[in-house]
Amino acid sequence: FLPKEIIENTVKNGKQVLFLIPEKSQGNFWIRKIQQTTDNLKLKTNNICFFSTDLPFRKYIESFKKIRDGKSKITIGTRSALFAPFSNLGLILIVEPENKNYKSEMEPRYNAKNIGEKLAEILGINLILVSSLPSIENYVESDKVVAKREEEVQEIKKEIIDMKKGSKMLNKDIFYEWSSLSQPLFEEIKKNLLLKRKVILFINRRGEGLSVVCQDCGWIKKCKNCDAPLILYKKSDKNLSMVCYHCGSISLPPKQCEKCQSWKLVTLGSGIEKIERELKEKFKNSKILRLDSKVAARSTTQKMVLKSFFEKNGDILLTTSILFRYLPILVGKKVPLVGIISIDSLLSLPDFRAEEEGVKIVHNLLSFTLDKFIFQTFWPNSQVANFIKNGYNSFLKELLKERERFFYPPFSKIIKLTFSHKDSQKAENESLNLKKKLEGEVKNKSLQIQILGPSPSFIQKIRGKYIWTTVIKLKKLKANEKKQILSIVPSYWKVDVDPLTII
């Protein structure tokens, strides 16, 4: 859905249009889409350009000059296009503004949506957010919400599988493993393959499993540098390794518990390698394609995998969230069966946005579903399950109640303060001292602010440094009041306003 009339009127009035997209890989698709949408304008090829700071230098300069000289009537680009030298900007559109790629993780850690709002305010122009499922904050804070109703489609059958009842333990030579597939999902896959029908299976984790755990004492194998659970990888039956995502260290898996010396070690969680192996064992005659950053790191390879699945002879697509990068390109592509093997590792995170992110995953996967959708989970009463059973309005109502009760966005703004040091005591003391100073400032100003922490970060140690986090929740303050609060924070602290996560 694109506001064709608004775009055309902006260009006819001699103004420029900025069209932000979350992924560079979508650039060519959106250029073609805009050309089709604005065919009445009869724009020339050089009137539409793509802009991003990671373009080849010559192409970057060429696009820069077109925008500066007003020759580019419509500019499509990633978040950096907000800083292009527009001569007469008249409209800003942001596609999927809740996408994480709009948030810069480098200083000054800006969010493209917030910059777009400020730019539109300064120039007195419209900002339009285009989303298949807006974030809670965007939905509540927008001045106007225009819903485009999709064409009526055949009702999708949805089934929620409680994995506390539907999972099995498999006795392997090295570890005891949970079976990734419940019996109902296994039977549905088998039935669809017999009918030569395609299947999409989703998992939001790489690796063999979440971690290696001792079933007797609860010991977990962790990285010595980072204090984070190591992920088990299996290259072959005899080639196992454990990898840390944070520092990249690699070690051999334990033969027994390093705490109680028990031999009863299990893998918890379901990584994509483990599921791929299980699928190949159970469906030997089927062509199973895998889409994740390990086997398809480049966008060209990812597109080849998708083309092979949708247009050729792929039977099962086992995918991570990389699939969602190509949502606009794959509009209309549907398969009879879509199953979520697990997103419980996401839902178990102590972060207020976890459930909302889970709902976004489900929503995106439903767009690929023709007949049946299966959701496997250990938490059948979660907000994600509520969304599947009762729809978006019910989910929104419950989540807003929860957000208001605990003073989370959109009822507050969040600032995340992070300090790290090789000395754990130094990290703790520094964080406690800052909290005292912040509390003094808040008391003097009589501001409505909550300070959470300080506390050790979710991953307490990364690359040999201990991490402590303080979270500030505050009502919308004037710029000078926020500046006064942040002026207390030393320059060597990491400051993140509107962070993607608080853990």
Side-chain angles (χ1 to χ4, degrees), residues 436-470:
K436 288 179 182 177
K437 292 177 183 178
L438 289 170
E439 287 177 333
E441 182 70 16
V442 170
K443 190 175 181 180
N444 292 336
K445 302 284 184 183
S446 300
L447 301 172
Q448 189 177 349
I449 291 177
Q450 288 183 14
I451 301 174
L452 305 183
S455 61
S457 180
F458 184 64
I459 303 296
Q460 297 180 24
K461 184 181 176 187
I462 295 179
R463 293 185 178 91
K465 288 188 174 183
Y466 295 89
I467 304 167
W468 279 69
T469 301
T470 302

Side-chain angles (χ1 to χ4, degrees), residues 252-271:
L252 293 172
K255 293 183 178 179
Q256 63 189 77
C257 175
E258 294 175 11
K259 184 179 179 182
C260 72
Q261 281 69 55
S262 168
W263 295 90
K264 202 169 184 182
L265 302 179
V266 297
T267 56
L268 294 183
S270 297

Side-chain angles (χ1 to χ4, degrees), residues 149-410:
R149 186 175 179 82
E150 298 292 335
E151 293 181 12
E152 292 295 329
V153 295
Q154 183 180 348
E155 184 66 26
I156 297 169
K157 296 176 184 175
K158 306 182 187 81
E159 185 175 355
I160 298 172
I161 307 295
D162 185 349
M163 290 297 282
K164 293 191 292 293
K165 302 172 184 176
S167 58
K168 301 180 292 184
M169 283 288 282
L170 303 175
N171 190 349
K172 298 289 182 178
D173 293 336
I174 303 172
F175 299 111
Y176 286 91
E177 296 180 348
W178 288 104
S179 173
S180 305
L181 305 176
S182 62
Q183 194 62 29
L185 180 56
F186 170 76
E187 293 296 337
E188 282 294 333
I189 295 171
K190 184 178 176 181
K191 182 175 75 174
N192 277 273
L193 293 177
L194 286 172
L195 296 171
K196 304 294 183 185
R197 303 172 81 182
K198 296 179 184 292
V199 176
I200 292 176
L201 298 175
F202 180 87
I203 177 75
N204 73 320
R205 177 172 296 282
R206 292 191 301 161
E208 276 291 300
L210 175 63
S211 55
V212 172
V213 181
C214 175
Q215 208 169 23
D216 288 335
C217 72
W219 170 82
I220 299 175
K221 178 67 175 176
K222 292 185 177 182
C223 175
K224 293 179 180 178
N225 299 321
C226 301
D227 197 40
L230 293 174
I231 302 301
L232 182 68
Y233 273 108
K234 182 174 183 178
K235 296 179 182 177
S236 66
D237 288 337
K238 295 183 179 180
N239 191 353
L240 287 168
S241 61
M242 301 203 72
V243 180
C244 176
Y245 279 142
H246 300 278
C247 69
S249 66
I250 300 174
S251 59
L252 293 172
K255 293 183 178 179
Q256 63 189 77
C257 175
E258 294 175 11
K259 184 179 179 182
C260 72
Q261 281 69 55
S262 168
W263 295 90
K264 202 169 184 182
L265 302 179
V266 297
T267 56
L268 294 183
S270 297
I272 197 164
E273 285 88 356
K274 175 181 168 184
I275 296 166
E276 181 186 32
R277 193 175 76 249
E278 189 175 340
L279 289 170
K280 285 180 177 178
E281 288 173 359
K282 291 180 176 178
F283 306 106
K284 290 182 170 65
N285 298 321
S286 300
K287 184 173 181 181
I288 298 167
L289 298 172
R290 184 175 138 198
L291 184 63
D292 68 302
S293 58
K294 189 178 179 186
V295 298
R298 298 169 64 89
S299 62
T300 50
T301 312
Q302 293 163 10
K303 289 175 183 176
M304 284 173 60
V305 172
L306 290 170
K307 185 174 182 180
S308 181
F309 175 72
F310 283 107
E311 299 179 15
K312 296 182 181 179
N313 59 345
D315 296 312
I316 299 175
L317 177 65
L318 179 60
T319 182
T320 61
S321 56
I322 283 180
L323 175 66
F324 305 145
R325 294 181 184 176
Y326 302 97
L327 270 172
I329 301 169
L330 297 172
V331 167
K333 301 282 188 183
K334 295 179 182 288
V335 301
L337 175 64
V338 174
I340 291 183
I341 291 175
S342 176
I343 59 169
D344 285 351
S345 57
L346 167 65
L347 302 184
S348 64
L349 293 175
D351 187 83
F352 74 97
R353 285 200 173 100
E355 295 267 16
E356 187 179 4
E357 192 174 338
V359 164
K360 185 70 174 179
I361 288 171
V362 170
H363 173 79
N364 287 339
L365 289 170
L366 283 170
S367 69
F368 290 103
T369 308
L370 186 62
D371 294 330
K372 188 158 187 178
F373 180 85
I374 293 178
F375 175 55
Q376 295 188 158
T377 180
F378 280 91
W379 294 293
N381 297 317
S382 67
Q383 288 291 355
V384 177
N386 176 31
F387 170 75
I388 293 170
K389 289 184 282 191
N390 303 312
Y392 183 72
N393 288 338
S394 175
F395 162 74
L396 180 65
K397 182 180 177 181
E398 292 302 316
L399 197 64
L400 282 173
K401 280 183 188 175
E402 191 176 292
R403 295 277 184 94
E404 186 173 21
R405 179 185 173 192
F406 294 105
F407 196 45
Y408 278 116

Side-chain angles (χ1 to χ4, degrees), residues 107-121:
E107 297 294 347
R109 304 185 190 281
Y110 71 90
N111 189 306
K113 191 204 77 147
N114 297 340
I115 299 294
E117 287 174 345
K118 192 64 180 178
L119 188 58
E121 179 187 327

